[in-house]
Amino acid sequence: MSSSIIHSPASVPGVVAGLPGRPVVRVRSATGDPMWLVQDQALARRVLGDRRFSRAAAAQPGAPALNSANPVPDSLTGRDGAEHARLRRTVAGWFTARRLAGLTPYIERAADDLAERLGRQPAPADLIGSFAAVLPLTVLLHVIGIPPEDRDLFASYVNVLFDSDEGDPVGKRRRGIALAGYMASLVDRLAAEPAPGLLSSLVSVHQAGGLSRPELVNLGLALLTAGYETTADQIGMSALAMLSDPALREALRDPDRRTGVTEELLRLMPATPVSFARVATERLRLADVTVEAGEAVIVSILAVNRDPQRSACPHRMELDGTSAPHLTFGYGPHYCLGAPLARIQVGVALETLLRRFPALRLAGPDAATWKNQLLTCGLASLMVSW
Ligand code: HEM
């Protein structure tokens, strides 16, 4: 890759910086809590696959936190073992290969519509605000089953929630509460009047006693928070890489290489630079360090995706259609439920941009503005011309 700057962990703002070369290092989170940062892929798989590194313990009040938005204890991501598996089963059926194959034409149409609208705007225009961030929201609203008449209202709650501006925490909190309130009232409406979509199917599970009401509302919110910003960031960064490197653009045009190259984009520019935190439930040894019970461990996905043991040139993007293994979607019981959906969206988004805008280019050297966040990594805006 010629544009190595955008693939360098050091160039990504807000990312937890570890010391290179050590498998486990001590870092401090944004809230000032000390944590162990795992930088080796085999160790990362061990941590993410071992329940003694517990998500439930990490979601308890007072546990060491990555940032102020720790998950609530009764959420999908804040549970372990059988309780976690029970919640996960209620939604897993919506993300199977068969169901997603049926969804692909919808995603392609949505991407085409957005490209059409983008093409009618005066250039330069912001690719994030008009394409990369809109596609995942459109797809999620469809999958979750937000009624068409509510979509604008819903999008306004969600957009402000994920606004990267950290300057208005009280306003954000208020809008977060409004979103949760909307989700709760929608659940009541769907209970009275079932409709197509994931949320309505969860209401049936709730009515049959398989989910409590807070679990139901939290699951709807969890899918949104997990699936929207991550995918928007991944599409935005992938577009930036594609527009910065003619060889990469060529490789993405080639249907035989597109899937492997998209994996390389996921590996080298993960929208999730770090995993959620796990808290050790007992004293455990990790490489050359001892993790005491109650201490937190996070995985640097950015570092473990560039593991020299798994790739001869771990920092270089392979353009021949092969890709080294990565943990961009996590590993183990909390492995990303939406990974196949995210892969389809990134692939469709890049293919649509290439097809609809053969001359798409960055609008100058300062076209990209990075967000300054910790848990996801991506662009606030990307100005393009065509
Ligand atoms: C490129 C886009 C995405 C990336 C990079 C990503 C990444 C991740 C990662 C790293 C985890 C595991 C975190 C951990 O264990 O510490 C995760 C979990 C999860 N993701 Fe994604 N994700 C993406 C898109 C999506 C989408 C589209 C959905 C659904 C619509 C989704 C739903 C979830 C859910 C529900 C979990 C929690 C699973 C559990 O706790 O059992 N994600 N994701």
Side-chain angles (χ1 to χ4, degrees):
M1 288 282 307
S2 54
S3 47
S4 57
I5 180 73
I6 55 178
H7 303 306
S8 155
S11 74
V12 177
V15 167
V16 174
L19 290 173
R22 300 252 315 274
V24 186
V25 292
R26 196 83 164 149
V27 292
R28 262 182 202 284
S29 74
T31 53
D33 291 336
M35 301 195 155
W36 295 106
L37 179 75
V38 175
Q39 306 194 106
D40 168 273
Q41 197 173 123
L43 271 187
R45 286 174 197 263
R46 221 188 96 198
V47 166
L48 299 178
D50 183 339
R51 271 193 70 167
R52 291 172 302 171
F53 294 103
S54 160
R55 280 295 301 143
Q60 291 308 313
L66 256 179
N67 65 8
S68 50
N70 237 16
V72 274
D74 60 0
S75 69
L76 175 68
T77 53
R79 289 199 171 165
D80 298 330
E83 277 295 280
H84 168 256
R86 175 179 63 82
L87 282 189
R88 200 171 153 113
R89 267 197 305 277
T90 60
V91 280
W94 285 83
F95 298 96
T96 59
R98 206 170 123 240
R99 207 183 268 265
L100 291 176
L103 190 65
T104 305
Y106 176 86
I107 299 173
E108 288 169 342
R109 267 200 315 279
D112 246 4
D113 285 353
L114 291 173
E116 174 78 35
R117 266 186 263 165
L118 173 63
R120 279 194 252 118
Q121 287 184 44
D126 175 21
L127 191 70
I128 306 299
S130 52
F131 186 86
V134 194
L135 181 64
L137 187 58
T138 310
V139 172
L140 267 183
L141 297 188
H142 177 75
V143 172
I144 294 177
I146 303 299
E149 65 275 15
D150 289 1
R151 287 191 183 177
D152 286 347
L153 173 72
F154 191 81
S156 71
Y157 289 143
V158 176
N159 279 334
V160 209
L161 251 195
F162 295 124
D163 182 348
S164 62
D165 176 13
E166 295 292 340
D168 181 18
V170 178
K172 272 191 160 184
R173 214 183 144 75
R174 202 178 305 128
R175 287 180 290 257
I177 293 168
L179 177 62
Y182 168 81
M183 195 62 95
S185 71
L186 178 57
V187 157
D188 290 339
R189 265 157 62 199
L190 291 172
E193 226 176 288
L198 191 159
L199 198 60
S200 202
S201 86
L202 290 181
V203 170
S204 315
V205 179
H206 163 61
Q207 286 168 333
L211 273 178
S212 71
R213 193 182 143 84
E215 285 174 338
L216 166 60
V217 173
N218 276 336
L219 261 177
L221 292 170
L223 286 165
L224 259 182
T225 37
Y228 170 48
E229 196 179 20
T230 45
T231 313
D233 288 342
Q234 202 67 56
I235 294 173
M237 287 191 295
S238 302
L240 170 61
M242 176 177 87
L243 298 178
S244 307
D245 188 326
L248 171 58
R249 182 194 291 240
E250 251 346 275
L252 283 165
R253 277 211 173 94
D254 178 352
D256 291 338
R257 289 190 285 163
R258 190 178 298 137
T259 306
V261 174
T262 307
E263 282 308 301
E264 281 289 87
L265 284 166
L266 286 163
R267 179 175 77 83
L268 287 164
M269 307 178 78
T272 43
V274 286
S275 73
F276 295 136
R278 270 78 178 159
V279 164
T281 54
E282 57 188 83
R283 173 190 271 214
L284 291 157
R285 194 83 187 139
L286 261 190
D288 55 348
V289 309
T290 301
V291 180
E292 299 293 341
E295 286 187 334
V297 179
I298 52 172
V299 168
S300 168
I301 293 177
L302 210 53
V304 306
N305 283 2
R306 293 155 182 258
D307 190 330
Q309 316 234 1
R310 291 171 194 260
S311 164
C313 302
H315 297 284
R316 219 193 60 204
M317 182 171 293
E318 275 308 337
L319 296 180
D320 64 1
T322 62
S323 174
H326 64 75
L327 298 190
T328 293
F329 294 113
Y331 179 77
H334 290 278
Y335 180 77
C336 177
L337 256 176
L341 177 58
R343 284 187 163 107
I344 295 173
Q345 290 189 76
V346 175
V348 166
L350 297 180
E351 189 277 326
T352 305
L353 290 175
L354 283 170
R355 180 169 40 78
R356 302 284 304 230
F357 303 101
L360 192 67
R361 59 195 178 278
L362 298 177
D366 301 323
T369 308
W370 290 90
K371 292 190 300 191
N372 194 5
Q373 279 172 244
L374 179 67
L375 277 187
T376 62
C377 172
L379 300 171
S381 64
L382 181 64
M383 299 308 291
V384 292
S385 299
W386 51 90

